[in-house]
Amino acid sequence: QSVLTQPPSASETPGQRVTISCSGSSSNIENNYVYWYQQLPGTAPKLLIFRINQRPSGVPDRFSGTKSGASASLAISGLRSEDEADYYCAAWDDTLSDYVFGTGTKVTVL
Amino acid sequence: EVQLVESGGGLVQPGGSLRLSCAASGFTFSSYAMSWVRQAPGTGLEWVSGISGRGSSTYYPDSVKGRFTISRDNSKNTLYLQMNSLRAEDTAVYYCAKDYGSGSPYYFDYWGQGILVTVSS
């Protein structure tokens, strides 16, 4: 059972904005960096956002991350069909001494 | 170009053992920590072990502690995961992942393609 909770699914039409939440606690999100990974169907995960809101080279600025207290969010603006994927938040948990992933959110482009 | 290629997966009986390998290239292997992350069929990601760049520190979640051992051979640019006392719930695709840092797990900027491990009689 993951300590980071995400909605199982989210959907929106092309060109719109979708936001995915990630709820944690003081032992993980509130006092540590948050990361987001994208997993396209049938492929390995890929780093999408690091240190809350930084994008690796090659990740479009349509993807953005924020954090407030023990929760974080990933926003995808100008949604495209190629954004259909599973998205996972992650953080280090100080109590568990584990690297924990969120439960994952499947994004569907309608 | 960073490349991570896993090998050693397959079918193993409950209680059995298996060793996964991950051949790394395209970066200075010994400068970076590495981890293994798994994904059971139809489920999410689970981090299962990490090792510092020099190999002096290892990290495990309780779910695998005492059964899995992560190690590395920096002379061969290879990461290993020795899995003992395997259970049906260890069935998953196992990914090798390069860490951004050199110590405790930080974040994973490159991933291998994954290798399937099936534990079944």
Side-chain angles (χ1 to χ4, degrees), chain A residues 33 35 37 39 43-47 50-51 86 88 92 96-103, chain B residues 37 39 43-47 59-62 95 100 104-109 111-113:
Chain A
Y33 285 121
Y35 308 93
Y37 298 90
Q39 187 174 31
T43 69
K46 166 191 164 185
L47 179 66
F50 63 98
R51 294 180 197 156
D86 293 323
Y88 296 90
W92 181 258
L96 297 174
S97 292
D98 288 352
Y99 191 87
V100 291
F101 287 95
T103 49
Chain B
V37 177
Q39 186 170 35
T43 70
L45 303 172
E46 180 187 14
W47 170 78
Y59 310 87
Y60 305 94
D62 285 346
Y95 295 101
Y100 179 80
S104 58
Y106 191 13
Y107 64 91
F108 313 124
D109 51 2
W111 297 64
Q113 83 285 355

Side-chain angles (χ1 to χ4, degrees), chain B residues 2 6 17 35 46 51 61 71 86 104 106-107 112 119:
Chain B
V2 171
E6 301 96 338
S17 298
S35 276
E46 180 187 14
I51 187 167
S71 62
L86 283 163
S104 58
Y106 191 13
Y107 64 91
V119 184

Side-chain angles (χ1 to χ4, degrees), chain B:
Chain B
E1 178 192 6
V2 171
Q3 286 199 327
L4 300 170
V5 181
E6 301 96 338
S7 61
L11 176 64
V12 60
Q13 292 189 338
S17 298
L18 206 60
R19 187 176 85 155
L20 304 183
S21 298
C22 172
S25 61
F27 63 102
T28 305
F29 185 66
S30 60
S31 295
Y32 295 93
M34 299 291 293
S35 276
W36 289 95
V37 177
R38 70 183 179 185
Q39 186 170 35
T43 70
L45 303 172
E46 180 187 14
W47 170 78
V48 292
S49 61
I51 187 167
S52 61
R54 294 183 179 181
S56 55
S57 298
T58 56
Y59 310 87
Y60 305 94
D62 285 346
S63 59
V64 306
K65 201 172 292 182
R67 299 189 301 123
F68 288 12
T69 302
I70 189 172
S71 62
R72 63 193 297 160
D73 186 336
N74 286 345
S75 69
K76 295 182 178 179
N77 288 353
T78 303
L79 176 73
Y80 303 100
L81 183 66
Q82 178 66 44
M83 303 184 292
N84 298 330
S85 302
L86 283 163
R87 308 165 180 167
E89 54 264 38
D90 295 318
T91 294
V93 172
Y94 286 73
Y95 295 101
C96 163
K98 172 190 171 293
D99 203 298
Y100 179 80
S102 62
S104 58
Y106 191 13
Y107 64 91
F108 313 124
D109 51 2
Y110 291 94
W111 297 64
Q113 83 285 355
I115 191 90
L116 178 63
V117 172
T118 303
V119 184
S120 174
S121 55

Side-chain angles (χ1 to χ4, degrees), chain A residues 17-51:
Chain A
R17 176 186 174 97
V18 66
T19 301
I20 302 167
S21 62
C22 175
S23 178
S25 68
S26 58
S27 65
N28 42 67
I29 290 177
E30 185 165 7
N31 291 297
N32 291 299
Y33 285 121
V34 180
Y35 308 93
W36 291 91
Y37 298 90
Q38 176 194 56
Q39 187 174 31
L40 297 170
T43 69
K46 166 191 164 185
L47 179 66
L48 194 65
I49 297 285
F50 63 98
R51 294 180 197 156

Side-chain angles (χ1 to χ4, degrees), chain A residues 60-76:
Chain A
D61 59 5
R62 302 186 295 103
F63 295 90
S64 61
T66 59
K67 186 180 96 165
S68 177
S71 293
S73 293
L74 172 72
I76 311 172

